[in-house]
Amino acid sequence: MQTIDKFDFAGKKAFVRVDFNVPLDENFNITDDTRIRAALPTLKKILEKGGSLIIASHMGRPKTNPDEKFSLKHILGHISKKLGVPVQFADDCQKAQAQVAALQAGEVLLLENLRFYAEEEGKPRLAKDATDEEKAAAKKAIKESQKAFTKVLADYADCYVNDAFGTAHRSHASTALIADYFDTDHKMFGFLMEKEVMAVEKVMKDINRPFTAIMGGSKVSSKIEIIENLLDKVDNLIIAGGMTYTFTKALGGKIGISICEDDKLDLALALLEKAKAKNVKIVLAVDAKIANKFSNDADTDFVKVGEIPDAWEGMDIGPETEKIFSEVIKNSKTILWNGPTGVFEFDNFTSGSRAVGNAIAEATKNGAFSLVGGGDSVACVNKFGLTDKVSYVSTGGGALLEAIEGKTLPGIAAIKK
Ligand code: AMP
C-alpha cells in the first residue's frame, strides 16, 4: 500500500479529505479544535515534502447550497494559523478549477463544505410531500450526478489522501467513491487514519491475551451488534452503565426505576448463554450507587445490584463492583473501553468510570494495549485526565463502533483495493 512517508509529493497536488466538522459557538468561534489538530501532521508533512494541498471536509448537516451557518470560511483563519501558511478559499467546491490550476508547491486551498452539495452524501433533498415515484426518480438521478460531482473533485489532484476516520464508515463521494479515480500508488491513508486503523487491528486481529472489553453506556439495543461480535474475540466482557439493569432484571433482580429495556430481557439472557458457550467470562456489577431522582443532588445510597428499592434508580456501579472490574482490567493485556459505567456527567456518579479509567491506565503502564473510543468514553478519559495514560483514544465515534462490530468501513476499503 502507498503511504505518506513513501510517496513523492514534490510538485504534486494532493486532495486531502479531513474531518474538520468542529463545533462552533454562536459567533462562529471554534470551541474544540481537536479534529483540526489531529490532521495537522498529515497536512504539514505533505507541504514539507514539496506538495500542495487541496483540503476538503464537511461540516454539520447543511440543507441548502450555500448555507452560511455551515461555511468552512469560518475556520479558514484558524487553519492558516495552525498550518503556519496562508490558506486560500474556494467558495464553491465544484468550481475551484482555476484556483487549483494556479496552486504552487507549498500552497494550500480549502474547499467550501462538500455537503452543500447533496451529491457528497448521495442522498437527494426531497420535498416533504414528494410521492414515492418522485423519491425513486430523485434517488436514481442523484447516483448519476454523484458520479459527475466525484469526478470534478478527483480531477483537481494527482493523488488522494484520506485522513477522515470520523467519516470512514460512510460511502460518500469524497470519503470513498473518489478513491476509484486513483490507482493504488496514488491513494493512501493520512497519519491519523493510519493510527486509527492500526489501533482497531490491534484489538480485532493482533490480540494479546487476556482481552477484556468494557461495554458501558445506556442501552443494550445500541450495543448489541458490538457485543455479539466481541463474544468471538474477548476473554472477559464487563457489562456496565445503564445496560446493567436490563441484565439484572432479566436475571430476576429488583431494579426500582433504573433505566431498562423491557423488550430486551430475552436478548440479555441469550447473550449470557452465548457467552457461556464461547467460554467468555461475563462480568456484571454486584452493587450499585443509587439515587432517588435523576439529578446530581439526589439522595444516594449503595445497595446490591438486584435489590434496588422502588422509586430509586441505579446511577453508577458500587465500590465492590469497582474492585471486581479493576482486578479483571489490571490482569488484561488488551483492553477496549466503550461507554461509561454510570451517569458520569454528574460529579456524584463518576466514581465507577474513574475507577475503570484508572485501572486501564495502570494496565497500560504494565504493558497492556488499551483502546478507548466511542463518544462518551472519550469525554470520560478527558474528564479524568487519562488521555495520555491509555494507548489510544479514537477520534471516530460511529466509525470506530462499526469497525468493532466487524464491518468493513468503505473509507478504508476504498484505499486498500
Ligand atoms: P452511550 O451513548 O450508549 O454510550 O451512553 C452514554 C450515556 O449513558 C451517558 O450519557 C451516561 O450518562 C448514560 N448512562 C450510563 N449509566 C447510566 C445509568 N445507570 N442510568 C442512566 N444513564 C446512564
Side-chain angles (χ1 to χ4, degrees):
M1 249 174 73
Q2 189 53 275
T3 64
I4 298 220
D5 283 327
K6 278 191 297 184
F7 191 75
D8 178 12
F9 285 96
K12 306 257 171 49
K13 292 176 178 141
F15 183 101
V16 189
R17 176 56 157 104
V18 293
D19 179 2
F20 282 175
N21 184 23
V22 289
L24 303 177
D25 66 16
E26 62 283 4
N27 297 316
F28 302 115
N29 296 310
I30 300 171
T31 54
D32 179 357
D33 73 346
T34 309
R35 286 177 172 156
I36 293 177
R37 283 186 286 112
L40 289 177
T42 294
L43 302 175
K44 285 188 171 167
K45 181 57 107 186
I46 296 173
L47 291 178
E48 258 170 42
K49 292 182 85 174
S52 56
L53 293 172
I54 300 152
I55 304 177
S57 179
H58 72 286
M59 183 187 275
R61 299 190 177 279
K63 295 277 176 281
T64 56
N65 182 12
D67 187 341
E68 171 67 21
K69 204 164 82 197
F70 298 113
S71 173
L72 288 183
K73 72 170 182 275
H74 302 307
I75 64 170
L76 187 64
H78 193 77
I79 298 170
S80 278
K81 206 162 98 194
K82 288 284 165 190
L83 272 178
V85 293
V87 175
Q88 303 164 46
F89 188 63
D91 56 15
D92 185 330
C93 70
Q94 286 283 285
K95 295 186 182 132
Q97 291 78 4
Q99 283 167 290
V100 167
L103 212 56
Q104 301 295 312
E107 292 187 342
V108 185
L109 175 69
L110 174 69
L111 301 181
E112 180 56 289
N113 192 345
L114 299 167
R115 288 197 191 162
F116 280 4
Y117 285 87
E119 281 78 4
E120 165 63 2
E121 293 180 271
K123 274 193 248 149
R125 290 179 184 146
L126 294 159
K128 277 203 184 81
D129 55 358
T131 62
D132 286 348
E133 256 173 28
E134 283 166 343
K135 281 184 197 161
K139 270 190 195 154
K140 209 169 144 208
I142 201 150
K143 289 294 162 209
E144 279 311 306
S145 56
Q146 189 181 39
K147 280 185 202 151
F149 174 89
T150 310
K151 184 162 188 323
V152 167
L153 299 180
D155 282 347
Y156 289 155
D158 302 303
C159 60
Y160 169 65
V161 179
N162 189 348
D163 212 15
F165 183 70
T167 48
H169 56 318
R170 306 283 183 222
S171 183
H172 292 167
S174 71
T175 62
L177 308 183
I178 189 172
D180 285 344
Y181 292 88
F182 298 90
D183 63 31
T184 41
D185 286 338
H186 291 82
K187 55 184 168 187
M188 64 210 93
F189 294 140
F191 291 135
L192 172 67
M193 190 85 156
E194 228 171 55
K195 275 197 290 181
E196 296 274 3
V197 171
M198 265 164 51
V200 169
E201 286 190 351
K202 237 172 140 46
V203 296
M204 290 287 113
K205 293 187 187 144
D206 178 20
I207 304 166
N208 228 336
R209 296 194 177 275
F211 178 8
T212 297
I214 306 113
M215 299 302 297
S218 52
K219 291 179 173 170
V220 187
S221 52
S222 61
K223 304 276 161 93
I224 177 73
E225 286 181 59
I226 304 172
I227 293 179
E228 288 198 319
N229 189 43
L230 285 176
L231 287 181
D232 289 324
K233 310 246 188 293
V234 299
D235 302 291
N236 307 302
L237 179 63
I238 294 179
I239 297 199
M243 275 189 283
T244 306
Y245 308 101
T246 303
F247 282 88
T248 306
K249 186 166 177 183
L251 290 168
K254 280 180 61 199
I255 60 163
I257 53 163
S258 304
I259 184 173
C260 178
E261 290 171 281
D262 281 319
D263 59 335
K264 295 287 178 293
L265 299 179
D266 289 342
L267 179 69
L269 292 179
L271 281 175
L272 295 179
E273 280 304 313
K274 256 190 208 168
K276 208 190 264 172
K278 289 178 191 277
N279 250 334
V280 173
K281 189 173 167 212
I282 300 267
V283 190
L284 286 163
V286 295
D287 58 350
K289 184 169 188 182
I290 58 170
N292 63 347
K293 60 179 176 184
F294 190 80
S295 160
N296 191 41
D297 46 44
D299 292 339
T300 61
D301 204 353
F302 294 101
V303 294
K304 285 197 179 143
V305 78
E307 296 177 11
I308 300 177
D310 296 345
W312 288 69
E313 64 183 300
M315 298 281 276
D316 196 8
I317 54 174
E320 267 310 301
T321 308
E322 281 183 19
K323 271 192 222 144
I324 295 170
F325 284 6
S326 297
E327 213 38 51
V328 174
I329 292 167
K330 285 184 207 164
N331 287 319
S332 304
K333 288 273 172 281
T334 303
I335 302 163
L336 171 70
W337 183 20
N338 170 260
T341 65
V343 187
F344 79 105
E345 296 91 336
F346 296 153
D347 285 344
N348 285 334
F349 303 99
T350 55
S351 177
S353 301
R354 191 188 297 273
V356 163
N358 284 336
I360 295 174
E362 197 175 322
T364 310
K365 207 166 101 196
N366 293 330
F369 179 83
S370 53
L371 168 60
V372 180
D376 280 325
S377 348
V378 177
C380 251
V381 285
N382 287 341
K383 183 165 178 160
F384 305 143
L386 294 171
T387 311
D388 296 331
K389 296 189 172 142
V390 299
S391 311
Y392 195 69
V393 180
S394 174
T395 59
L400 178 75
L401 297 186
E402 289 198 18
I404 299 169
E405 279 167 23
K407 293 183 183 153
T408 303
L409 306 188
I412 291 175
I415 297 281
K416 284 188 168 172
K417 77 179 172 194

